Amino acid sequence: MKNIYFMPGMAANCDIFENIKLDDSKYTLHFIEWLEPEKNESLEHYSNRIALQIKEENPVLIGVSFGGIIVQEVAKIIATEKVIIISSVKGPSEFPARIHWAKKWRLYRFFPTSYITLIETITKKIVSSKKIHQRIDMYQKYLSVRSKNYLDWAFKNIILWENKNPVQNVYHLHGTKDHIFPHKRIKNADFLENGTHVMVIINARWINKKLLEILEK
């Protein structure tokens, strides 16, 4: 029986994996929720705290977006069979130019994380579009980790990530319409045509198929 640990994307809860279906006679699925960061906590220290939640030896780690960064850091701490990242990056070279600019000018200090919930509430009140309301409802369902402390920490650590001594056993699934990490900068990945940054939710059939292929290698 293989043990698989899933790590959601930034601000997301593990409901984003609700459509991931794997044979429960072969795989045991575990889901890691975000921890509240400690004051001035480094990414390395945070990843060590995440690693403490993993009790089985040599697991498969699967992370989405920022969760993909976290599982790569965890794989530097514990032995893993495989690391699979979805809608994520394998290093700073895969970041879009805007993240490099944010790092150079330390723009993460100015992101208005405390206003995210307020902006959603106001938008729902003043915009009548059903599509916009549905999108906000989806964000509120899946993006429930919203403390200012966590969001400030997450933005900063994504932008400053350097991935020194990268792990080697990384498999990458990515969409060609990913607006957060544009696919043109992504190397050595399996691409879903027209897949977006939320393809783990809306393209779960394709994700399930690819996960099975990777797990059985």
Side-chain angles (χ1 to χ4, degrees), residues 86-147:
I86 302 170
S87 306
S88 189
V89 290
K90 297 183 290 296
S93 65
E94 297 185 334
F95 282 151
R98 62 180 176 271
I99 292 184
H100 291 290
W101 276 103
K103 179 178 181 179
K104 180 177 180 179
W105 299 104
R106 304 177 72 185
L107 297 180
Y108 54 83
R109 296 175 298 169
F110 306 109
F111 195 86
T113 51
S114 60
Y115 295 108
I116 288 177
T117 302
L118 177 61
I119 290 169
E120 288 179 356
T121 302
I122 293 173
T123 301
K124 289 188 77 171
K125 287 182 178 180
I126 65 176
V127 178
S128 59
S129 168
K130 183 178 179 180
K131 186 175 182 180
I132 295 296
H133 279 243
Q134 288 174 338
R135 184 170 295 178
I136 292 175
D137 287 341
M138 184 180 77
Y139 290 161
Q140 290 176 335
K141 174 182 178 181
Y142 295 114
L143 303 180
S144 62
V145 187
R146 292 164 172 254
S147 79

